[in-house]
């Protein structure tokens, strides 16, 4: 458990290039990278022969719902963290719509304490906004004049439209108070609650899954996205728009969003993300799989998927998350509209995106940028997201040569199913490393599900994220 590791002969996805070489991690941090030659192993380090594999910076998933506290039949921080490392995810950010919802420092500290006992990777948590908890938000993230940065706390989550749980803020005065009165980053679930309510009667008797995307349409999303952007621009507040799903929003955001390092310092800093689901599935997949692919905002249409890809490559969309939100098969089998919205995602997100790279839709370098480097920058994470000397030793070795079909029986998520079942994917994590310590491996001996190598709580720290001015 010293965090000393030598990885030999991998194709390394470095910040500026991809090359074959060796990478040494000492005391949990990357100490040395050597291209085109071999480093001499030290006596106190573990040696991994990674010839034929690709080495990426550890994946960072900035949107998970690990259901802890309150819904252990779906997931908890232990099972969610295990599922994450099986997919190469070395750090995650978790959402506050728990039971009870996490809306004050006491709740946040409870999640941090639980994570330290259960997790096997690095963690961060959002506090949930309500119409009347401004002072609690300020206790956690500070004010614009005096922002607070607590290890393991990444910002405020605002549900602008009703989704799951009890958190909802759609009143203008409350939104203005939050944007003008708090520090840190605000992440929004952007769906317009008024439009959802106005259109509900027209869809309430529909039992076909197509009604879900028709009701929660792209205009519903765009209205809320425009509202959030205006609030950010008027207040100067740092804004992140969660799970972008529609081409309408993506095209409208062109020229508005940017990476922090490329932003105009005189304007509000706004970023956004999309999901592997929305880059892979379309209306035909939803019709075939039914409520297994039901989520909020919904998976939309082929035209939306194509536009999301276009704007991801153009830089309008900065990063990729999963919105991992598991529900039991019993609940999902209730059918539409009774089934809850949400699906697992952390186990397959990297393999899904690397399969897109294998198929020529993007590159492996793109995937590392979207799923690690850009996420770290969007959240001001210290030491994360890059294979470079001095960075934290969070890495993942993947196999781009061998494909394997997704099977529910190999799931680590407690609900035991995956929306990508039946799809052949490459890029499965072979070894996941956190702070120089291998926490997961997938070999011929372990079988396709793989094996955890550490006990809950042995590895993983609260993420350090510097405050936004």
């Amino acid at each position: 458990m010293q965090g000393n590791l030598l990885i030999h002969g991998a194709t390394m996805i470095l910040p500026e290039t991809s090359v074959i070489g060796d990478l040494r991690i000492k005391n949990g941090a990357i100490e040395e990278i050597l291209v085109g030659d071999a480093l001499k192993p030290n006596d106190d380090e573990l040696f991994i022969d990674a010839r034929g594999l690709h080495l990426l910076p550890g994946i960072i998933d900035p949107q998970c719902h690990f259901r802890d506290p309150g819904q252990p039949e779906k997931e908890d921080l232990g099972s969610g963290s295990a599922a994450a490392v099986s997919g190469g995810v070395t750090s995650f950010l978790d959402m506050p719509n728990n039971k009870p919802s996490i809306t004050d420092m006491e709740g946040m500290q409870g999640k941090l304490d639980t994570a330290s006992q259960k997790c096997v990777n690095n963690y961060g948590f959002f506090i949930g906004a309500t119409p009347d908890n401004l002072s609690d938000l300020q206790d956690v993230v500070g004010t614009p004049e005096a922002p607070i940065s607590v290890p393991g706390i990444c910002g405020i989550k605002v549900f602008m439209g009703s989704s799951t749980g009890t958190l909802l803020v759609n009143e203008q005065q409350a939104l203005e108070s939050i944007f003008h009165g708090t520090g840190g980053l605000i992440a929004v679930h952007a769906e317009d609650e008024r439009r959802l309510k106005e259109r509900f009667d027209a869809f309430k008797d529909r039992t076909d899954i197509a009604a879900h995307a028709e009701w929660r349409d792209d205009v519903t999303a765009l209205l809320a996205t425009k509202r959030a952007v205006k609030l950010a621009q008027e207040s100067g507040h740092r804004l992140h728009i969660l799970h972008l799903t529609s081409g309408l929003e993506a095209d409208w955001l062109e020229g508005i969003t940017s990476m922090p390092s490329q932003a105009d310092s005189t304007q509000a800093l706004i970023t956004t993300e999309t999901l592997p689901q929305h880059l892979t599935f379309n209306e035909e997949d939803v019709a075939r799989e039914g409520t297994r692919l039901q989520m909020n905002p919904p998976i939309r249409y082929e035209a939306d998927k194509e536009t999301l890809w276009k704007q991801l490559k153009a830089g309008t969309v900065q990063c990729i998350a999963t919105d991992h939100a598991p529900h039991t098969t019993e609940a999902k089998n209730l059918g539409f509209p009774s089934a809850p919205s949400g699906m697992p995602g952390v186990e397959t997100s990297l393999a899904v995106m690397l399969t897109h790279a294998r198929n020529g839709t993007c590159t492996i370098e793109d995937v590392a940028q979207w799923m690690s480097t850009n996420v770290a920058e969007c959240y001001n994470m210290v030491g994360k997201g890059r294979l470079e000397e001095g960075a934290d030793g969070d890495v993942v070795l993947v196999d781009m040569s061998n494909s394997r079909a997704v099977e529910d029986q190999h799931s680590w998520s407690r609900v035991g199913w995956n929306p990508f079942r039946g799809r052949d994917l490459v890029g499965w994590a072979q070894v996941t490393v956190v702070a120089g310590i291998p926490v997961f491996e997938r070999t011929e001996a372990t079988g396709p599900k793989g094996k955890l190598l550490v006990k809950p709580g042995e590895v993983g720290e609260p993420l350090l994220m510097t405050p936004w001015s």
Side-chain angles (χ1 to χ4, degrees):
M1 306 299 290
Q2 293 179 317
N4 297 337
L5 180 66
L6 176 59
I7 298 172
H8 167 66
T11 300
M12 302 181 291
I13 311 302
L14 305 180
E16 304 300 333
T17 186
S18 296
V19 291
I20 294 175
D22 286 13
L23 181 143
R24 169 171 280 137
I25 299 172
K26 186 175 179 62
N27 296 325
I30 299 174
E31 181 184 64
E32 189 174 3
I33 297 173
L34 183 63
V35 176
D37 205 346
L39 292 170
K40 183 179 178 180
N42 295 327
D43 293 338
D44 65 344
E45 66 188 6
L46 178 67
F47 178 86
I48 296 178
D49 186 345
R51 287 175 293 179
L53 301 178
H54 283 72
L55 181 67
L56 282 68
I59 300 309
I60 307 168
D61 190 337
Q63 189 185 177
C64 297
H65 299 264
F66 284 160
R67 309 300 194 192
D68 200 344
Q71 297 175 297
E73 74 283 1
K74 300 179 181 180
E75 201 82 278
D76 67 13
L77 282 165
S79 63
S81 177
V85 297
S86 79
V89 175
T90 56
S91 301
F92 67 86
L93 303 179
D94 182 72
M95 292 298 169
N97 53 325
N98 303 122
K99 291 187 176 181
S101 296
I102 307 303
T103 59
D104 57 26
M105 190 63 213
E106 181 181 3
M108 295 294 287
Q109 189 61 56
K111 291 188 78 167
L112 288 167
D113 292 343
T114 301
S116 71
Q117 298 167 8
K118 291 184 177 181
C119 287
V120 292
N121 57 356
N122 306 306
Y123 47 87
F125 299 101
F126 285 92
I127 182 172
T130 74
D132 54 7
N133 76 331
L134 179 61
S135 62
D136 289 313
L137 299 177
Q138 292 171 334
D139 288 342
V140 173
V141 300
T143 64
E145 298 77 21
I148 300 171
S149 181
V150 177
I153 296 178
C154 54
I156 299 168
K157 170 68 178 287
V158 178
F159 286 88
M160 298 179 71
S162 54
S163 180
T164 58
T166 59
L167 298 173
L168 174 65
V169 185
N170 67 317
E171 301 88 348
Q172 185 66 18
Q173 184 175 352
L175 287 168
E176 290 178 356
S177 296
I178 293 167
F179 272 83
H180 286 273
T182 62
L185 174 147
I186 291 176
V188 296
H189 175 121
E191 289 185 289
D192 186 74
E193 181 69 9
R194 178 179 295 179
R195 182 172 169 85
L196 287 174
K197 288 181 176 179
E198 288 175 348
R199 304 178 78 233
F200 178 73
D201 284 344
F203 294 90
K204 65 180 181 180
D205 297 323
R206 294 267 299 271
T207 58
D208 59 308
I209 190 66
H212 189 62
E214 292 177 31
W215 173 44
R216 305 182 88 104
D217 67 350
D218 55 0
V219 175
T220 299
L222 180 62
L223 286 171
T225 293
K226 285 184 172 182
R227 189 181 187 191
V229 166
K230 184 178 180 182
L231 285 161
Q233 290 173 337
E234 291 175 346
S235 63
H237 208 294
R238 171 76 177 91
L239 172 66
H240 185 74
I241 301 164
L242 297 163
H243 43 42
L244 201 71
T245 64
S246 75
L248 192 65
E249 291 170 281
D251 283 342
W252 184 80
L253 285 169
E254 186 173 351
I256 294 174
T257 58
S258 66
M259 288 298 299
S261 58
Q262 301 168 356
D264 183 341
S265 61
T266 65
Q267 299 178 357
L269 174 53
I270 300 168
T271 53
T272 189
E273 67 189 31
T274 191
L275 315 182
Q277 300 95 301
H278 295 93
L279 295 170
T280 307
F281 297 131
N282 62 18
E283 67 272 26
E284 294 181 1
D285 298 298
V286 174
R288 182 186 67 253
E289 294 290 333
T291 52
R292 284 175 71 114
L293 298 189
Q294 179 184 328
M295 64 181 300
N296 299 334
I299 292 166
R300 303 192 188 278
Y301 308 102
E302 181 65 22
D304 293 287
K305 185 179 77 172
E306 292 174 359
T307 301
L308 289 172
W309 270 113
K310 179 189 74 173
Q311 294 292 14
L312 177 63
K313 293 177 179 180
T316 301
V317 180
Q318 284 70 44
C319 60
I320 290 173
T322 66
D323 196 15
H324 175 91
H327 294 280
T328 64
T329 53
E330 290 80 9
K332 281 293 193 177
N333 288 339
L334 293 173
F336 185 81
S338 299
S341 293
M343 65 185 76
V346 291
E347 298 177 64
T348 46
S349 59
L350 177 57
V352 167
M353 294 306 300
L354 287 175
T355 301
H356 283 303
R358 188 273 312 270
N359 294 340
T361 310
C362 59
T363 67
I364 299 173
E365 291 79 6
D366 288 333
V367 174
Q369 192 81 25
W370 297 331
M371 300 189 76
S372 186
T373 308
N374 285 5
V375 182
E377 183 177 333
C378 283
Y379 283 88
N380 274 350
M381 292 181 183
V382 177
K384 304 301 182 187
R386 301 168 72 88
L387 297 186
E388 62 184 12
E389 293 175 1
D392 292 343
D394 301 341
V395 301
V396 57
L397 281 164
V398 301
D399 182 1
M400 292 297 295
S401 300
N402 298 304
S403 65
R404 176 176 64 79
V406 180
E407 297 183 41
D408 286 349
Q409 68 194 57
H410 298 144
S411 296
W412 282 87
S413 177
R414 185 161 292 158
V415 294
W417 64 274
N418 189 280
F420 290 92
R421 64 173 176 184
R423 286 181 177 253
D424 286 319
L425 304 179
V426 298
W428 293 96
Q430 303 301 292
V431 183
T432 303
V433 176
V434 177
I437 300 169
V439 297
F440 174 87
E441 68 174 356
R442 181 179 280 113
T443 65
E444 288 186 10
T446 68
K449 183 171 182 177
K451 177 184 178 182
L452 274 181
L453 303 176
V454 295
K455 296 178 181 179
E458 282 190 327
V459 182
E461 299 288 341
L463 289 160
L464 299 177
M465 291 164 277
T466 57
W468 297 96
S469 60

